[in-house]
Amino acid sequence: MTRFEHEPEKNSEGETLRQSLEDYIAFLGDLVSHELEVILPTQWMVPENLQQAMKYSLMAGGKRLRPLLVIIACEALGGSREAALPVAAAIEMVHTYSLIHDDLPAMDNDDYRRGKLTNHKVFGEATAILAGDALLTHAFYSVVQASRKFGVPAESVLSIVEDLAEMAGPRGMVGGQIADMEGEQGLTDLEQLKYIHLHKTGDLIIFSLLAGGRIAGANEHQLEALHKFGTAIGLAFQIQDDILDLVGDEGKLGKKTGSDVKQHKVTYPYFIGLEASREEVKQLTETARNAVLNGGFHDNQRMLEIADYLMARDH
Amino acid sequence: MTRFEHEPEKNSEGETLRQSLEDYIAFLGDLVSHELEVILPTQWMVPENLQQAMKYSLMAGGKRLRPLLVIIACEALGGSREAALPVAAAIEMVHTYSLIHDDLPAMDNDDYRRGKLTNHKVFGEATAILAGDALLTHAFYSVVQASRKFGVPAESVLSIVEDLAEMAGPRGMVGGQIADMEGEQGLTDLEQLKYIHLHKTGDLIIFSLLAGGRIAGANEHQLEALHKFGTAIGLAFQIQDDILDLVGDEGKLGKKTGSDVKQHKVTYPYFIGLEASREEVKQLTETARNAVLNGGFHDNQRMLEIADYLMARDH
């Protein structure tokens, strides 16, 4: 049995002690990183260079927010943490592939991400494109393992596959990315910006919550609550990003602020101002909290904590 | 009910007449193109430009070989043609995405494919990358529709999802593409070339046959026969490509011959000579035929015909 750095302690009765949210997040991050190591193809059959390129970006120190949401939603509905891990790993692969492709010279042309060289700067463009393709494809393999390894019913896993294809595909994240690219030539209203946020960022967050719920066997009412929660925190998360880019602490963020203004990117504060944007984040967090409180969940605690945590974050 | 140009005729008793292989292939091509039109996202919600880019390459006049194999395998096992269509459309999307990414400047840097401008020459690099990503993702959506629209059991569809992720991913097609790229710096032996052929081309062909079988509810013995058949015709198909590039008729091929030699690409004829390569295609076709004859299928006829057809093709 693997031991993890942030594993929760037990009391003298052998009961697991409840962790602070920060420790809990760090512990789940450990679990997800371990699952990613397990699920990544490492056979001699896969060219070494491709393995390295996939691993490089997966292990580049992301926040693991989406996997965290899969697990928290699953546990909130009384599901097993272990059964959520293959899907948690999958959504991190999808998120990572989207970053690799986003950073390419033909797209955002970024040399650094989170202080490390971007994938194509290390492995070359061709390998970076293929590593992204490989991660996206392998994500679906990982989803299926929820059924193979943990006996999640095929019907539920098939719905997760369908959701992932829907929310990461042309009607979801990729659609949002295209709209974002086209929007760089000038967005005219807040509705367009909302469309971009919902699909480019929100859809994968909503997916993560729904998937966690499906693994736990959530009913329609519970899935709807998760959807509401995800839509609200997804948008709040993005507005908070816009705010931090304007007034955040560069040291904490690990990147330069003011890039949106410099790139003439329209943002929430650009449209409605800084104070109204902060108010919007608060409102959305309230909406998210209410969705949880009325969702009929097994345990609300971590869901409420994560909503507050995302609102208060400074990086 | 849509009528198709190559639909089979009926006799005075109203029985459908058996078509020649050519007409049958053309008819299935019509069905697949129609299915692709149905399954492609066309809602106002998807940015117009992305829709156009996806459609452009999907409808650029490919041979539809892989979808054809899904349907033929399904029918050979007594399954329904209609139920095979969502998976047939899916494999064409995966094949098409791989061509779009392959043609990119960072990869093969091709301006034309099948006599038409490549995707990035028409839509720009960023959109071409995203159109490829969207097609790959949407393929998994399409696979799930075999269950949603035609009631194929969730267990079977989940196995198809798993096979697709496996055979199109890092252990499959993408692994083969990386190996091919690396091989351009000089392959040393036939084993490496076989690895590239098996994964870059063979895996999707094998997938198509297995998927057709799974939709029809094939047993393990039948799936094994389909796997053998696919491995043999997949390699034969690739060797035949190598041969045609050396001695084919440019008019029939619709592209210039001699490109492998010009690009210093190592090929089957390069390693073992033209005559031995032709002999190998013959042997592999025989292996494929035997797999079918011993597979315990419902109807062997089209499977045998397609094996002969691929061996004899001049384009």
Side-chain angles (χ1 to χ4, degrees):
Chain A
M1 191 61 197
T2 318
R3 286 275 318 170
F4 296 99
E5 195 188 332
H6 300 93
E7 199 144 313
E9 291 179 31
K10 298 188 177 200
N11 66 13
S12 54
E13 251 84 280
E15 295 161 342
T16 304
L17 297 176
R18 191 172 179 86
Q19 296 176 292
S20 72
L21 183 68
E22 281 70 17
D23 286 348
Y24 179 65
I25 288 176
F27 173 50
L28 295 188
D30 289 350
L31 290 183
V32 171
S33 295
H34 180 256
E35 179 70 17
L36 284 166
E37 302 247 10
V38 170
I39 198 83
L40 273 183
T42 49
Q43 294 91 332
W44 63 269
M45 295 192 61
V46 177
E48 179 68 22
N49 205 35
L50 178 61
Q51 292 183 33
Q52 292 306 325
M54 293 169 76
K55 199 162 173 175
Y56 175 81
S57 292
L58 268 180
M59 300 305 176
K63 289 191 277 280
R64 310 277 193 234
L65 170 65
R66 294 153 193 80
L68 182 73
L69 294 174
V70 177
I71 299 169
I72 287 187
C74 181
E75 291 192 317
L77 275 292
S80 124
R81 185 185 293 163
E82 282 65 35
L85 284 173
V87 177
I91 191 63
E92 191 68 5
M93 287 187 226
V94 171
H95 175 58
T96 303
Y97 116 78
S98 79
L99 300 181
I100 295 175
H101 282 190
D102 240 15
D103 289 336
L104 287 167
M107 311 269 281
D108 287 351
N109 194 20
D110 281 318
D111 292 352
Y112 289 91
R113 175 172 291 276
R114 299 179 192 127
K116 293 183 70 175
L117 284 171
T118 45
N119 201 288
H120 64 273
K121 293 306 275 185
V122 179
F123 298 94
E125 262 185 82
T127 300
I129 294 169
L130 289 170
D133 294 345
L135 285 168
L136 170 56
T137 314
H138 202 59
F140 286 94
Y141 177 82
S142 194
V143 168
V144 176
Q145 303 319 304
S147 164
R148 298 283 181 261
K149 292 206 268 182
F150 299 102
V152 180
E155 267 301 344
S156 307
V157 178
L158 208 56
S159 292
I160 296 174
V161 169
E162 190 174 24
D163 283 352
L164 182 57
E166 185 79 43
M167 292 180 176
R171 281 191 284 255
M173 184 181 67
V174 176
Q177 281 171 309
I178 289 267
D180 190 26
M181 247 167 49
E182 292 175 352
E184 281 164 17
Q185 281 107 56
L187 281 187
T188 51
D189 62 32
L190 191 62
E191 283 313 302
Q192 280 180 286
L193 185 63
K194 271 191 185 171
Y195 174 92
I196 292 169
H197 282 345
L198 172 61
H199 294 296
K200 196 178 165 173
T201 320
D203 277 343
L204 288 202
I205 287 176
I206 297 169
F207 164 80
S208 301
L209 293 155
L210 290 180
R214 289 190 193 283
I215 294 162
N219 61 34
E220 281 307 311
H221 174 69
Q222 292 166 327
L223 289 175
E224 210 178 291
L226 289 169
H227 199 291
K228 261 190 211 158
F229 179 86
T231 309
I233 65 159
L235 187 52
F237 182 82
Q238 195 59 52
I239 300 176
Q240 186 69 2
D241 245 18
D242 287 354
I243 295 173
L244 289 173
D245 188 74
L246 210 56
V247 299
D249 179 323
E250 293 192 355
K252 286 183 183 160
L253 286 166
K255 63 177 177 185
K256 284 211 181 314
T257 58
S259 70
D260 291 343
V261 176
K262 218 179 299 161
Q263 291 172 44
H264 305 285
K265 266 200 144 166
V266 293
T267 62
Y268 247 77
Y270 170 89
F271 278 121
I272 64 174
L274 188 58
E275 269 325 296
S277 298
R278 282 186 169 136
E279 187 52 38
E280 183 76 16
V281 170
K282 235 189 222 162
Q283 288 293 335
L284 287 166
T285 306
E286 212 36 48
T287 306
R289 290 182 61 93
N290 285 331
V292 169
L293 292 170
N294 301 313
F297 293 176
H298 169 81
D299 179 0
N300 294 333
Q301 204 47 46
R302 294 295 191 195
M303 296 281 292
L304 296 174
E305 283 175 19
I306 199 82
D308 292 337
Y309 169 82
L310 288 175
M311 190 190 74
R313 79 197 166 94
D314 57 8
H315 66 283
Chain B
M1 191 59 201
T2 320
R3 285 276 315 169
F4 297 98
E5 195 188 333
H6 301 95
E7 200 144 317
E9 292 178 31
K10 298 188 178 200
N11 65 14
S12 54
E13 252 85 278
E15 297 159 342
T16 303
L17 296 177
R18 190 173 180 85
Q19 297 176 292
S20 72
L21 184 69
E22 281 71 17
D23 287 347
Y24 178 67
I25 288 177
F27 172 49
L28 296 188
D30 289 351
L31 291 182
V32 170
S33 295
H34 180 257
E35 180 70 18
L36 284 167
E37 303 247 10
V38 170
I39 199 85
L40 272 183
T42 51
Q43 294 89 332
W44 63 269
M45 298 191 56
V46 178
E48 178 68 22
N49 206 34
L50 178 60
Q51 292 183 33
Q52 292 305 325
M54 292 169 76
K55 201 163 170 173
Y56 176 81
S57 292
L58 268 179
M59 300 304 176
K63 289 191 278 280
R64 309 276 193 235
L65 170 65
R66 292 154 194 80
L68 182 74
L69 293 175
V70 178
I71 299 170
I72 288 187
C74 181
E75 292 193 317
L77 275 291
S80 125
R81 185 185 292 163
E82 281 66 33
L85 283 173
V87 177
I91 192 62
E92 191 68 4
M93 288 186 226
V94 171
H95 175 58
T96 303
Y97 117 77
S98 79
L99 300 181
I100 295 175
H101 282 190
D102 239 14
D103 288 337
L104 287 167
M107 311 268 284
D108 287 351
N109 194 21
D110 279 319
D111 292 352
Y112 290 91
R113 175 173 291 276
R114 297 179 195 130
K116 293 183 71 176
L117 284 170
T118 46
N119 199 288
H120 65 273
K121 293 306 276 184
V122 178
F123 297 93
E125 261 185 82
T127 301
I129 293 169
L130 289 169
D133 294 345
L135 284 169
L136 170 56
T137 314
H138 202 59
F140 286 94
Y141 177 82
S142 194
V143 168
V144 176
Q145 304 318 305
S147 164
R148 298 285 181 258
K149 293 207 269 182
F150 301 101
V152 179
E155 267 300 346
S156 307
V157 177
L158 208 57
S159 292
I160 296 174
V161 169
E162 190 173 25
D163 283 353
L164 182 56
E166 184 82 42
M167 290 179 179
R171 280 191 284 255
M173 184 181 67
V174 176
Q177 281 172 308
I178 289 267
D180 190 25
M181 250 167 49
E182 292 175 353
E184 280 163 17
Q185 280 111 52
L187 280 186
T188 50
D189 62 33
L190 191 62
E191 283 312 302
Q192 281 180 285
L193 185 64
K194 271 191 185 174
Y195 174 92
I196 293 170
H197 283 346
L198 173 61
H199 294 296
K200 195 177 167 173
T201 320
D203 278 342
L204 289 201
I205 288 176
I206 296 168
F207 164 81
S208 302
L209 293 156
L210 290 179
R214 290 193 194 281
I215 294 162
N219 61 35
E220 281 308 312
H221 173 69
Q222 291 166 326
L223 288 175
E224 208 179 292
L226 288 169
H227 198 292
K228 260 189 210 159
F229 179 86
T231 309
I233 66 160
L235 187 52
F237 183 82
Q238 197 56 53
I239 300 175
Q240 186 70 0
D241 246 18
D242 288 354
I243 294 173
L244 289 174
D245 189 74
L246 209 59
V247 299
D249 179 322
E250 293 191 354
K252 287 182 184 160
L253 287 166
K255 64 176 178 186
K256 286 212 182 311
T257 57
S259 70
D260 291 342
V261 175
K262 220 181 296 163
Q263 291 171 44
H264 305 285
K265 265 199 144 166
V266 292
T267 63
Y268 248 77
Y270 170 89
F271 277 121
I272 63 172
L274 188 59
E275 270 324 295
S277 297
R278 282 183 170 139
E279 186 53 35
E280 184 76 17
V281 170
K282 235 189 222 164
Q283 289 291 335
L284 287 165
T285 307
E286 212 37 49
T287 304
R289 291 181 59 93
N290 285 330
V292 170
L293 293 170
N294 302 313
F297 293 175
H298 170 82
D299 179 358
N300 293 333
Q301 202 50 41
R302 294 297 190 194
M303 295 281 290
L304 295 174
E305 283 175 21
I306 199 81
D308 291 338
Y309 169 82
L310 288 175
M311 189 189 76
R313 80 197 166 96
D314 55 9
H315 66 285

